[in-house]
């Protein structure tokens, strides 16, 4: 949800060329949970669940970023 808000704000508020705005919008949907497994393991938490959530969010992000790249007019 937060990524979508940032993406809409980036698209409409940034004074850059359309291609640059597209790159920034796509970057706002990139997965940021890359260190979640190590951090969770260091806190003696459930590292398997953190790894699974990383995998799921990475797949969702790839699908969303691919769809946005196909739809946005900057391509």
């Amino acid at each position: 949800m937060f990524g979508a808000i940032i993406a809409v704000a980036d698209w409409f508020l940034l004074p850059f060329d359309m291609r640059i705005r597209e790159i920034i919008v796509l970057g706002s949907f990139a997965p940021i949970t890359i260190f979640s497994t190590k951090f969770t393991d260091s806190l003696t938490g459930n590292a398997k669940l953190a790894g699974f959530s990383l995998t799921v969010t990475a797949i969702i992000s790839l699908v969303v970023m691919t769809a946005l790249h196909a739809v946005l007019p900057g391509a």
Side-chain angles (χ1 to χ4, degrees):
M1 178 72 177
F2 186 71
I5 294 169
I6 294 297
V8 169
D10 290 343
W11 185 260
F12 290 108
L13 298 177
L14 291 178
F16 299 122
D17 183 27
M18 193 176 301
R19 289 184 182 178
I20 302 295
R21 287 185 288 158
E22 179 186 2
I23 292 168
I24 295 171
V25 166
L26 292 177
S28 68
F29 285 102
I32 59 168
T33 58
I34 192 69
F35 297 110
S36 65
T37 306
K38 178 64 178 160
F39 179 71
T40 304
D41 190 38
S42 69
L43 295 177
T44 64
N46 190 351
K48 289 181 183 180
L49 182 61
F52 175 73
S53 67
L54 168 64
T55 304
V56 170
T57 57
I59 292 171
I60 291 171
S61 294
L62 276 171
V63 170
V64 169
M65 289 168 56
T66 303
L68 281 173
H69 181 62
V71 172
L72 288 175

Short mmCIF file of all heavy atoms in Angstrom, two decimals:
data_model
loop_
_atom_site.label_atom_id
_atom_site.label_comp_id
_atom_site.label_asym_id
_atom_site.label_seq_id
_atom_site.Cartn_x
_atom_site.Cartn_y
_atom_site.Cartn_z
N MET A 1 0.83 -1.19 0.00
CA MET A 1 0.00 0.00 0.00
C MET A 1 0.87 1.26 0.00
O MET A 1 0.61 2.19 -0.72
CB MET A 1 -0.92 -0.06 1.23
CG MET A 1 -1.79 1.11 1.39
SD MET A 1 -3.08 1.08 0.16
CE MET A 1 -3.99 2.47 0.61
N PHE A 2 1.90 1.25 0.85
CA PHE A 2 2.78 2.41 0.93
C PHE A 2 3.53 2.62 -0.39
O PHE A 2 3.72 3.75 -0.82
CB PHE A 2 3.75 2.24 2.09
CG PHE A 2 4.60 3.45 2.34
CD1 PHE A 2 4.04 4.60 2.87
CD2 PHE A 2 5.94 3.44 2.02
CE1 PHE A 2 4.82 5.72 3.08
CE2 PHE A 2 6.72 4.55 2.23
CZ PHE A 2 6.15 5.70 2.76
N GLY A 3 3.94 1.52 -1.01
CA GLY A 3 4.62 1.62 -2.30
C GLY A 3 3.73 2.24 -3.36
O GLY A 3 4.19 3.02 -4.20
N ALA A 4 2.44 1.92 -3.33
CA ALA A 4 1.50 2.49 -4.30
C ALA A 4 1.34 3.99 -4.08
O ALA A 4 1.27 4.77 -5.04
CB ALA A 4 0.15 1.79 -4.19
N ILE A 5 1.29 4.41 -2.83
CA ILE A 5 1.16 5.85 -2.52
C ILE A 5 2.40 6.60 -2.99
O ILE A 5 2.30 7.66 -3.62
CB ILE A 5 0.91 6.05 -1.02
CG1 ILE A 5 -0.45 5.49 -0.63
CG2 ILE A 5 1.01 7.52 -0.64
CD1 ILE A 5 -0.68 5.41 0.86
N ILE A 6 3.57 6.04 -2.71
CA ILE A 6 4.82 6.66 -3.15
C ILE A 6 4.89 6.70 -4.67
O ILE A 6 5.32 7.70 -5.26
CB ILE A 6 6.02 5.89 -2.57
CG1 ILE A 6 6.06 6.03 -1.06
CG2 ILE A 6 7.33 6.34 -3.19
CD1 ILE A 6 6.26 7.45 -0.56
N ALA A 7 4.46 5.61 -5.33
CA ALA A 7 4.50 5.56 -6.79
C ALA A 7 3.60 6.62 -7.42
O ALA A 7 4.00 7.30 -8.38
CB ALA A 7 4.10 4.17 -7.28
N VAL A 8 2.40 6.79 -6.90
CA VAL A 8 1.48 7.80 -7.44
C VAL A 8 2.05 9.20 -7.21
O VAL A 8 2.00 10.06 -8.10
CB VAL A 8 0.07 7.65 -6.81
CG1 VAL A 8 -0.82 8.82 -7.14
CG2 VAL A 8 -0.56 6.35 -7.26
N ALA A 9 2.59 9.43 -6.02
CA ALA A 9 3.19 10.74 -5.74
C ALA A 9 4.38 11.00 -6.65
O ALA A 9 4.54 12.11 -7.18
CB ALA A 9 3.61 10.82 -4.27
N ASP A 10 5.21 9.99 -6.85
CA ASP A 10 6.36 10.14 -7.75
C ASP A 10 5.92 10.45 -9.17
O ASP A 10 6.49 11.30 -9.85
CB ASP A 10 7.22 8.87 -7.76
CG ASP A 10 7.95 8.65 -6.46
OD1 ASP A 10 8.07 9.62 -5.67
OD2 ASP A 10 8.41 7.52 -6.23
N TRP A 11 4.91 9.75 -9.65
CA TRP A 11 4.47 9.91 -11.03
C TRP A 11 3.91 11.31 -11.29
O TRP A 11 4.17 11.91 -12.33
CB TRP A 11 3.42 8.85 -11.37
CG TRP A 11 3.03 8.90 -12.80
CD1 TRP A 11 1.90 9.46 -13.33
CD2 TRP A 11 3.77 8.40 -13.92
NE1 TRP A 11 1.90 9.32 -14.69
CE2 TRP A 11 3.03 8.67 -15.08
CE3 TRP A 11 5.00 7.74 -14.04
CZ2 TRP A 11 3.48 8.31 -16.35
CZ3 TRP A 11 5.43 7.38 -15.30
CH2 TRP A 11 4.67 7.67 -16.43
N PHE A 12 3.15 11.84 -10.34
CA PHE A 12 2.48 13.11 -10.58
C PHE A 12 3.25 14.33 -10.05
O PHE A 12 3.00 15.45 -10.50
CB PHE A 12 1.08 13.10 -9.97
CG PHE A 12 0.13 12.20 -10.71
CD1 PHE A 12 -0.28 11.01 -10.16
CD2 PHE A 12 -0.32 12.54 -11.98
CE1 PHE A 12 -1.15 10.17 -10.85
CE2 PHE A 12 -1.18 11.71 -12.68
CZ PHE A 12 -1.59 10.52 -12.10
N LEU A 13 4.17 14.16 -9.13
CA LEU A 13 4.81 15.30 -8.50
C LEU A 13 6.25 15.56 -8.94
O LEU A 13 6.73 16.69 -8.81
CB LEU A 13 4.77 15.16 -6.98
CG LEU A 13 3.38 15.11 -6.35
CD1 LEU A 13 3.48 14.89 -4.85
CD2 LEU A 13 2.60 16.36 -6.66
N LEU A 14 6.94 14.56 -9.42
CA LEU A 14 8.33 14.76 -9.79
C LEU A 14 8.46 15.46 -11.14
O LEU A 14 7.74 15.13 -12.08
CB LEU A 14 9.07 13.41 -9.84
CG LEU A 14 9.27 12.74 -8.50
CD1 LEU A 14 9.97 11.41 -8.67
CD2 LEU A 14 10.07 13.63 -7.57
N PRO A 15 9.38 16.40 -11.24
CA PRO A 15 9.51 17.19 -12.48
C PRO A 15 10.48 16.58 -13.49
O PRO A 15 11.17 17.30 -14.20
CB PRO A 15 10.04 18.52 -11.95
CG PRO A 15 10.90 18.13 -10.80
CD PRO A 15 10.20 16.96 -10.17
N PHE A 16 10.54 15.25 -13.56
CA PHE A 16 11.47 14.59 -14.46
C PHE A 16 10.77 14.15 -15.74
O PHE A 16 9.55 14.18 -15.84
CB PHE A 16 12.12 13.38 -13.79
CG PHE A 16 12.92 13.73 -12.57
CD1 PHE A 16 12.62 13.17 -11.35
CD2 PHE A 16 13.98 14.62 -12.65
CE1 PHE A 16 13.35 13.48 -10.23
CE2 PHE A 16 14.71 14.95 -11.53
CZ PHE A 16 14.40 14.38 -10.32
N ASP A 17 11.57 13.69 -16.69
CA ASP A 17 11.06 13.11 -17.92
C ASP A 17 10.23 11.86 -17.58
O ASP A 17 10.41 11.23 -16.54
CB ASP A 17 12.24 12.75 -18.82
CG ASP A 17 11.82 12.21 -20.17
OD1 ASP A 17 10.72 12.55 -20.63
OD2 ASP A 17 12.61 11.44 -20.75
N MET A 18 9.34 11.49 -18.48
CA MET A 18 8.45 10.37 -18.25
C MET A 18 9.21 9.06 -18.02
O MET A 18 8.83 8.23 -17.20
CB MET A 18 7.48 10.21 -19.42
CG MET A 18 6.33 9.29 -19.13
SD MET A 18 5.15 9.20 -20.48
CE MET A 18 4.65 10.88 -20.65
N ARG A 19 10.32 8.85 -18.72
CA ARG A 19 11.10 7.62 -18.56
C ARG A 19 11.74 7.56 -17.18
O ARG A 19 11.78 6.50 -16.56
CB ARG A 19 12.17 7.52 -19.63
CG ARG A 19 11.60 7.25 -20.98
CD ARG A 19 12.68 7.06 -21.99
NE ARG A 19 12.08 6.85 -23.30
CZ ARG A 19 12.76 6.69 -24.40
NH1 ARG A 19 14.08 6.74 -24.35
NH2 ARG A 19 12.15 6.49 -25.53
N ILE A 20 12.23 8.69 -16.69
CA ILE A 20 12.83 8.73 -15.36
C ILE A 20 11.76 8.46 -14.30
O ILE A 20 11.99 7.71 -13.35
CB ILE A 20 13.50 10.09 -15.10
CG1 ILE A 20 14.57 10.38 -16.15
CG2 ILE A 20 14.07 10.17 -13.69
CD1 ILE A 20 15.73 9.44 -16.12
N ARG A 21 10.60 9.04 -14.46
CA ARG A 21 9.51 8.79 -13.51
C ARG A 21 9.09 7.32 -13.51
O ARG A 21 8.77 6.76 -12.47
CB ARG A 21 8.31 9.69 -13.80
CG ARG A 21 8.56 11.13 -13.41
CD ARG A 21 7.33 11.97 -13.59
NE ARG A 21 7.12 12.15 -15.02
CZ ARG A 21 5.96 12.46 -15.58
NH1 ARG A 21 4.90 12.64 -14.84
NH2 ARG A 21 5.86 12.60 -16.88
N GLU A 22 9.11 6.69 -14.70
CA GLU A 22 8.76 5.27 -14.76
C GLU A 22 9.76 4.43 -13.97
O GLU A 22 9.38 3.52 -13.24
CB GLU A 22 8.72 4.78 -16.20
CG GLU A 22 8.38 3.31 -16.29
CD GLU A 22 8.46 2.76 -17.70
OE1 GLU A 22 8.81 3.49 -18.63
OE2 GLU A 22 8.17 1.55 -17.84
N ILE A 23 11.03 4.74 -14.09
CA ILE A 23 12.06 4.00 -13.36
C ILE A 23 11.86 4.17 -11.85
O ILE A 23 11.98 3.21 -11.08
CB ILE A 23 13.46 4.47 -13.79
CG1 ILE A 23 13.71 4.06 -15.23
CG2 ILE A 23 14.53 3.93 -12.87
CD1 ILE A 23 14.92 4.71 -15.85
N ILE A 24 11.55 5.38 -11.42
CA ILE A 24 11.34 5.63 -10.00
C ILE A 24 10.09 4.91 -9.50
O ILE A 24 10.08 4.34 -8.40
CB ILE A 24 11.28 7.14 -9.73
CG1 ILE A 24 12.64 7.77 -10.04
CG2 ILE A 24 10.86 7.44 -8.30
CD1 ILE A 24 12.65 9.27 -10.03
N VAL A 25 9.04 4.91 -10.31
CA VAL A 25 7.81 4.20 -9.93
C VAL A 25 8.08 2.71 -9.81
O VAL A 25 7.64 2.06 -8.85
CB VAL A 25 6.68 4.49 -10.94
CG1 VAL A 25 5.53 3.52 -10.77
CG2 VAL A 25 6.18 5.91 -10.78
N LEU A 26 8.80 2.14 -10.77
CA LEU A 26 9.12 0.72 -10.69
C LEU A 26 9.98 0.41 -9.47
O LEU A 26 9.80 -0.62 -8.82
CB LEU A 26 9.82 0.26 -11.97
CG LEU A 26 8.97 0.25 -13.23
CD1 LEU A 26 9.82 -0.15 -14.43
CD2 LEU A 26 7.79 -0.67 -13.09
N GLY A 27 10.89 1.30 -9.15
CA GLY A 27 11.73 1.10 -7.97
C GLY A 27 10.95 1.15 -6.67
O GLY A 27 11.35 0.52 -5.68
N SER A 28 9.84 1.86 -6.65
CA SER A 28 9.05 1.93 -5.42
C SER A 28 8.34 0.61 -5.12
O SER A 28 7.88 0.40 -4.00
CB SER A 28 8.04 3.08 -5.48
OG SER A 28 7.05 2.81 -6.45
N PHE A 29 8.26 -0.28 -6.10
CA PHE A 29 7.65 -1.59 -5.88
C PHE A 29 8.67 -2.70 -5.73
O PHE A 29 8.32 -3.87 -5.66
CB PHE A 29 6.69 -1.93 -7.03
CG PHE A 29 5.42 -1.16 -6.96
CD1 PHE A 29 5.22 -0.06 -7.78
CD2 PHE A 29 4.42 -1.50 -6.08
CE1 PHE A 29 4.05 0.66 -7.73
CE2 PHE A 29 3.25 -0.78 -6.01
CZ PHE A 29 3.06 0.31 -6.84
N ALA A 30 9.95 -2.37 -5.67
CA ALA A 30 10.99 -3.38 -5.50
C ALA A 30 10.92 -3.95 -4.09
O ALA A 30 10.62 -3.24 -3.14
CB ALA A 30 12.36 -2.76 -5.75
N PRO A 31 11.20 -5.24 -3.95
CA PRO A 31 11.15 -5.84 -2.60
C PRO A 31 12.29 -5.31 -1.73
O PRO A 31 13.43 -5.20 -2.17
CB PRO A 31 11.32 -7.34 -2.87
CG PRO A 31 11.97 -7.43 -4.20
CD PRO A 31 11.54 -6.22 -4.97
N ILE A 32 11.97 -4.95 -0.51
CA ILE A 32 12.98 -4.38 0.39
C ILE A 32 13.26 -5.29 1.58
O ILE A 32 13.97 -4.91 2.48
CB ILE A 32 12.55 -3.00 0.90
CG1 ILE A 32 11.22 -3.09 1.65
CG2 ILE A 32 12.46 -2.00 -0.22
CD1 ILE A 32 10.87 -1.86 2.41
N THR A 33 12.73 -6.49 1.57
CA THR A 33 12.87 -7.38 2.72
C THR A 33 14.04 -8.34 2.58
O THR A 33 14.02 -9.43 3.11
CB THR A 33 11.58 -8.19 2.89
OG1 THR A 33 11.32 -8.91 1.68
CG2 THR A 33 10.41 -7.31 3.22
N ILE A 34 15.08 -7.93 1.91
CA ILE A 34 16.20 -8.81 1.62
C ILE A 34 16.92 -9.25 2.90
O ILE A 34 17.44 -10.36 2.98
CB ILE A 34 17.17 -8.16 0.62
CG1 ILE A 34 18.17 -9.18 0.08
CG2 ILE A 34 17.89 -6.98 1.23
CD1 ILE A 34 17.56 -10.22 -0.79
N PHE A 35 16.97 -8.43 3.92
CA PHE A 35 17.68 -8.77 5.15
C PHE A 35 16.76 -9.31 6.23
O PHE A 35 17.19 -9.50 7.37
CB PHE A 35 18.45 -7.56 5.68
CG PHE A 35 19.52 -7.10 4.74
CD1 PHE A 35 19.39 -5.90 4.06
CD2 PHE A 35 20.65 -7.86 4.54
CE1 PHE A 35 20.38 -5.48 3.19
CE2 PHE A 35 21.64 -7.45 3.67
CZ PHE A 35 21.51 -6.25 2.99
N SER A 36 15.51 -9.56 5.90
CA SER A 36 14.56 -10.00 6.93
C SER A 36 14.92 -11.35 7.51
O SER A 36 14.76 -11.57 8.72
CB SER A 36 13.14 -10.04 6.36
OG SER A 36 13.05 -11.02 5.35
N THR A 37 15.41 -12.27 6.71
CA THR A 37 15.74 -13.59 7.22
C THR A 37 16.90 -13.54 8.21
O THR A 37 16.83 -14.13 9.29
CB THR A 37 16.10 -14.53 6.05
OG1 THR A 37 15.03 -14.51 5.11
CG2 THR A 37 16.31 -15.94 6.52
N LYS A 38 17.96 -12.82 7.87
CA LYS A 38 19.11 -12.70 8.76
C LYS A 38 18.73 -11.96 10.05
O LYS A 38 19.12 -12.35 11.14
CB LYS A 38 20.25 -11.97 8.04
CG LYS A 38 21.46 -11.75 8.87
CD LYS A 38 22.11 -13.05 9.28
CE LYS A 38 23.37 -12.78 10.09
NZ LYS A 38 23.75 -13.91 10.89
N PHE A 39 17.96 -10.89 9.92
CA PHE A 39 17.54 -10.12 11.09
C PHE A 39 16.66 -10.97 12.01
O PHE A 39 16.84 -10.99 13.23
CB PHE A 39 16.79 -8.87 10.65
CG PHE A 39 16.30 -8.02 11.78
CD1 PHE A 39 17.18 -7.30 12.56
CD2 PHE A 39 14.95 -7.95 12.08
CE1 PHE A 39 16.74 -6.53 13.61
CE2 PHE A 39 14.50 -7.17 13.12
CZ PHE A 39 15.39 -6.46 13.89
N THR A 40 15.73 -11.71 11.43
CA THR A 40 14.84 -12.56 12.23
C THR A 40 15.63 -13.67 12.90
O THR A 40 15.39 -14.01 14.06
CB THR A 40 13.74 -13.15 11.34
OG1 THR A 40 13.04 -12.10 10.70
CG2 THR A 40 12.76 -13.97 12.15
N ASP A 41 16.59 -14.25 12.18
CA ASP A 41 17.41 -15.31 12.75
C ASP A 41 18.26 -14.78 13.90
O ASP A 41 18.46 -15.46 14.90
CB ASP A 41 18.29 -15.94 11.67
CG ASP A 41 18.97 -17.19 12.14
OD1 ASP A 41 18.33 -17.96 12.88
OD2 ASP A 41 20.14 -17.40 11.76
N SER A 42 18.77 -13.57 13.76
CA SER A 42 19.59 -13.00 14.85
C SER A 42 18.76 -12.71 16.09
O SER A 42 19.29 -12.66 17.20
CB SER A 42 20.29 -11.74 14.38
OG SER A 42 19.36 -10.69 14.18
N LEU A 43 17.47 -12.53 15.94
CA LEU A 43 16.58 -12.31 17.08
C LEU A 43 15.98 -13.61 17.59
O LEU A 43 15.04 -13.60 18.38
CB LEU A 43 15.46 -11.35 16.71
CG LEU A 43 15.89 -9.93 16.37
CD1 LEU A 43 14.69 -9.10 15.94
CD2 LEU A 43 16.58 -9.27 17.54
N THR A 44 16.50 -14.74 17.10
CA THR A 44 16.01 -16.09 17.41
C THR A 44 14.51 -16.23 17.12
O THR A 44 13.77 -16.83 17.87
CB THR A 44 16.32 -16.50 18.87
OG1 THR A 44 15.61 -15.63 19.76
CG2 THR A 44 17.80 -16.45 19.15
N GLY A 45 14.13 -15.67 16.01
CA GLY A 45 12.74 -15.80 15.57
C GLY A 45 12.60 -16.92 14.55
O GLY A 45 13.48 -17.76 14.39
N ASN A 46 11.50 -16.94 13.86
CA ASN A 46 11.21 -17.97 12.88
C ASN A 46 11.81 -17.55 11.53
O ASN A 46 11.16 -16.89 10.72
CB ASN A 46 9.70 -18.17 12.77
CG ASN A 46 9.33 -19.38 11.96
OD1 ASN A 46 10.18 -20.00 11.33
ND2 ASN A 46 8.05 -19.72 11.99
N ALA A 47 13.05 -17.97 11.28
CA ALA A 47 13.74 -17.57 10.05
C ALA A 47 13.11 -18.21 8.82
O ALA A 47 13.15 -17.62 7.73
CB ALA A 47 15.22 -17.94 10.14
N LYS A 48 12.53 -19.39 8.97
CA LYS A 48 11.88 -20.04 7.82
C LYS A 48 10.68 -19.22 7.35
O LYS A 48 10.47 -19.06 6.16
CB LYS A 48 11.45 -21.46 8.18
CG LYS A 48 12.61 -22.41 8.34
CD LYS A 48 12.11 -23.80 8.66
CE LYS A 48 13.30 -24.72 8.89
NZ LYS A 48 12.85 -26.09 9.21
N LEU A 49 9.90 -18.72 8.28
CA LEU A 49 8.76 -17.90 7.92
C LEU A 49 9.21 -16.59 7.29
O LEU A 49 8.61 -16.12 6.32
CB LEU A 49 7.89 -17.61 9.14
CG LEU A 49 6.63 -16.79 8.91
CD1 LEU A 49 5.70 -17.51 7.94
CD2 LEU A 49 5.92 -16.53 10.21
N ALA A 50 10.29 -16.01 7.80
CA ALA A 50 10.82 -14.78 7.21
C ALA A 50 11.33 -15.03 5.80
O ALA A 50 11.13 -14.21 4.89
CB ALA A 50 11.93 -14.22 8.09
N GLY A 51 11.98 -16.15 5.57
CA GLY A 51 12.45 -16.50 4.23
C GLY A 51 11.30 -16.73 3.27
O GLY A 51 11.34 -16.34 2.10
N PHE A 52 10.24 -17.37 3.77
CA PHE A 52 9.06 -17.58 2.94
C PHE A 52 8.41 -16.25 2.56
O PHE A 52 8.02 -16.04 1.42
CB PHE A 52 8.05 -18.47 3.67
CG PHE A 52 6.76 -18.63 2.94
CD1 PHE A 52 6.68 -19.42 1.81
CD2 PHE A 52 5.62 -17.98 3.37
CE1 PHE A 52 5.49 -19.56 1.13
CE2 PHE A 52 4.43 -18.11 2.70
CZ PHE A 52 4.36 -18.92 1.57
N SER A 53 8.31 -15.33 3.52
CA SER A 53 7.70 -14.03 3.23
C SER A 53 8.56 -13.24 2.24
O SER A 53 8.04 -12.52 1.40
CB SER A 53 7.47 -13.23 4.51
OG SER A 53 8.70 -12.86 5.08
N LEU A 54 9.88 -13.39 2.33
CA LEU A 54 10.77 -12.75 1.36
C LEU A 54 10.50 -13.28 -0.04
O LEU A 54 10.41 -12.52 -1.01
CB LEU A 54 12.23 -12.99 1.75
CG LEU A 54 13.28 -12.62 0.71
CD1 LEU A 54 13.26 -11.14 0.43
CD2 LEU A 54 14.64 -13.07 1.15
N THR A 55 10.35 -14.58 -0.17
CA THR A 55 10.09 -15.20 -1.47
C THR A 55 8.76 -14.73 -2.04
O THR A 55 8.67 -14.37 -3.22
CB THR A 55 10.10 -16.73 -1.34
OG1 THR A 55 11.35 -17.13 -0.79
CG2 THR A 55 9.88 -17.39 -2.67
N VAL A 56 7.74 -14.71 -1.22
CA VAL A 56 6.42 -14.29 -1.68
C VAL A 56 6.42 -12.82 -2.10
O VAL A 56 5.90 -12.48 -3.17
CB VAL A 56 5.35 -14.56 -0.58
CG1 VAL A 56 4.03 -13.92 -0.94
CG2 VAL A 56 5.18 -16.05 -0.37
N THR A 57 7.01 -11.96 -1.29
CA THR A 57 7.02 -10.54 -1.66
C THR A 57 7.88 -10.28 -2.89
O THR A 57 7.57 -9.39 -3.68
CB THR A 57 7.51 -9.66 -0.49
OG1 THR A 57 8.81 -10.09 -0.10
CG2 THR A 57 6.55 -9.72 0.68
N ALA A 58 8.94 -11.05 -3.08
CA ALA A 58 9.77 -10.88 -4.27
C ALA A 58 8.99 -11.27 -5.53
O ALA A 58 9.06 -10.58 -6.55
CB ALA A 58 11.04 -11.70 -4.15
N ILE A 59 8.24 -12.35 -5.46
CA ILE A 59 7.44 -12.78 -6.62
C ILE A 59 6.34 -11.77 -6.92
O ILE A 59 6.12 -11.40 -8.07
CB ILE A 59 6.86 -14.19 -6.37
CG1 ILE A 59 8.00 -15.22 -6.37
CG2 ILE A 59 5.82 -14.54 -7.42
CD1 ILE A 59 7.60 -16.59 -5.93
N ILE A 60 5.67 -11.30 -5.87
CA ILE A 60 4.62 -10.29 -6.07
C ILE A 60 5.22 -9.03 -6.68
O ILE A 60 4.64 -8.43 -7.60
CB ILE A 60 3.89 -10.00 -4.74
CG1 ILE A 60 3.07 -11.21 -4.32
CG2 ILE A 60 3.00 -8.76 -4.86
CD1 ILE A 60 2.50 -11.11 -2.92
N SER A 61 6.36 -8.60 -6.18
CA SER A 61 7.00 -7.40 -6.70
C SER A 61 7.39 -7.56 -8.16
O SER A 61 7.22 -6.62 -8.96
CB SER A 61 8.24 -7.06 -5.88
OG SER A 61 7.89 -6.69 -4.58
N LEU A 62 7.91 -8.71 -8.54
CA LEU A 62 8.25 -8.95 -9.94
C LEU A 62 7.04 -8.86 -10.85
O LEU A 62 7.10 -8.25 -11.93
CB LEU A 62 8.91 -10.32 -10.09
CG LEU A 62 10.39 -10.36 -9.82
CD1 LEU A 62 10.88 -11.80 -9.79
CD2 LEU A 62 11.14 -9.60 -10.90
N VAL A 63 5.94 -9.43 -10.41
CA VAL A 63 4.71 -9.39 -11.21
C VAL A 63 4.20 -7.95 -11.33
O VAL A 63 3.86 -7.49 -12.43
CB VAL A 63 3.63 -10.31 -10.60
CG1 VAL A 63 2.29 -10.10 -11.26
CG2 VAL A 63 4.06 -11.76 -10.71
N VAL A 64 4.18 -7.22 -10.22
CA VAL A 64 3.70 -5.84 -10.24
C VAL A 64 4.60 -4.95 -11.09
O VAL A 64 4.12 -4.15 -11.90
CB VAL A 64 3.57 -5.29 -8.80
CG1 VAL A 64 3.32 -3.80 -8.80
CG2 VAL A 64 2.46 -6.01 -8.05
N MET A 65 5.90 -5.10 -10.94
CA MET A 65 6.83 -4.27 -11.71
C MET A 65 6.74 -4.56 -13.20
O MET A 65 6.79 -3.64 -14.02
CB MET A 65 8.27 -4.49 -11.20
CG MET A 65 8.51 -3.89 -9.83
SD MET A 65 10.03 -4.39 -9.02
CE MET A 65 11.25 -3.94 -10.20
N THR A 66 6.58 -5.83 -13.58
CA THR A 66 6.43 -6.19 -14.99
C THR A 66 5.13 -5.63 -15.56
O THR A 66 5.12 -5.08 -16.67
CB THR A 66 6.46 -7.72 -15.15
OG1 THR A 66 7.68 -8.21 -14.60
CG2 THR A 66 6.36 -8.12 -16.60
N ALA A 67 4.06 -5.74 -14.80
CA ALA A 67 2.77 -5.20 -15.27
C ALA A 67 2.82 -3.68 -15.41
O ALA A 67 2.32 -3.13 -16.39
CB ALA A 67 1.66 -5.61 -14.31
N LEU A 68 3.43 -3.01 -14.45
CA LEU A 68 3.54 -1.56 -14.54
C LEU A 68 4.40 -1.12 -15.73
O LEU A 68 4.09 -0.14 -16.40
CB LEU A 68 4.13 -0.99 -13.26
CG LEU A 68 3.17 -0.86 -12.09
CD1 LEU A 68 3.93 -0.45 -10.84
CD2 LEU A 68 2.09 0.13 -12.40
N HIS A 69 5.47 -1.86 -15.98
CA HIS A 69 6.32 -1.52 -17.11
C HIS A 69 5.56 -1.66 -18.44
O HIS A 69 5.77 -0.88 -19.37
CB HIS A 69 7.57 -2.40 -17.13
CG HIS A 69 8.50 -2.10 -18.25
ND1 HIS A 69 9.13 -0.86 -18.38
CD2 HIS A 69 8.91 -2.83 -19.30
CE1 HIS A 69 9.88 -0.88 -19.46
NE2 HIS A 69 9.77 -2.06 -20.04
N ALA A 70 4.67 -2.63 -18.51
CA ALA A 70 3.89 -2.82 -19.72
C ALA A 70 2.79 -1.76 -19.86
O ALA A 70 2.42 -1.41 -20.98
CB ALA A 70 3.25 -4.21 -19.71
N VAL A 71 2.30 -1.23 -18.75
CA VAL A 71 1.17 -0.32 -18.79
C VAL A 71 1.57 1.16 -18.84
O VAL A 71 0.91 1.95 -19.51
CB VAL A 71 0.26 -0.58 -17.55
CG1 VAL A 71 -0.83 0.46 -17.44
CG2 VAL A 71 -0.34 -1.96 -17.63
N LEU A 72 2.64 1.53 -18.15
CA LEU A 72 3.02 2.93 -18.07
C LEU A 72 3.46 3.46 -19.45
O LEU A 72 4.11 2.74 -20.20
CB LEU A 72 4.15 3.14 -17.06
CG LEU A 72 3.74 2.99 -15.60
CD1 LEU A 72 4.96 3.09 -14.70
CD2 LEU A 72 2.73 4.04 -15.21
N PRO A 73 3.12 4.70 -19.75
CA PRO A 73 3.43 5.24 -21.07
C PRO A 73 4.89 5.62 -21.27
O PRO A 73 5.27 6.03 -22.36
CB PRO A 73 2.55 6.49 -21.14
CG PRO A 73 2.33 6.90 -19.74
CD PRO A 73 2.32 5.62 -18.95
N GLY A 74 5.75 5.47 -20.29
CA GLY A 74 7.15 5.85 -20.43
C GLY A 74 7.99 4.87 -21.23
O GLY A 74 9.11 5.16 -21.58
N ALA A 75 7.46 3.70 -21.50
CA ALA A 75 8.24 2.66 -22.17
C ALA A 75 8.53 2.97 -23.61
O ALA A 75 7.93 3.64 -24.33
CB ALA A 75 7.53 1.33 -22.06
#
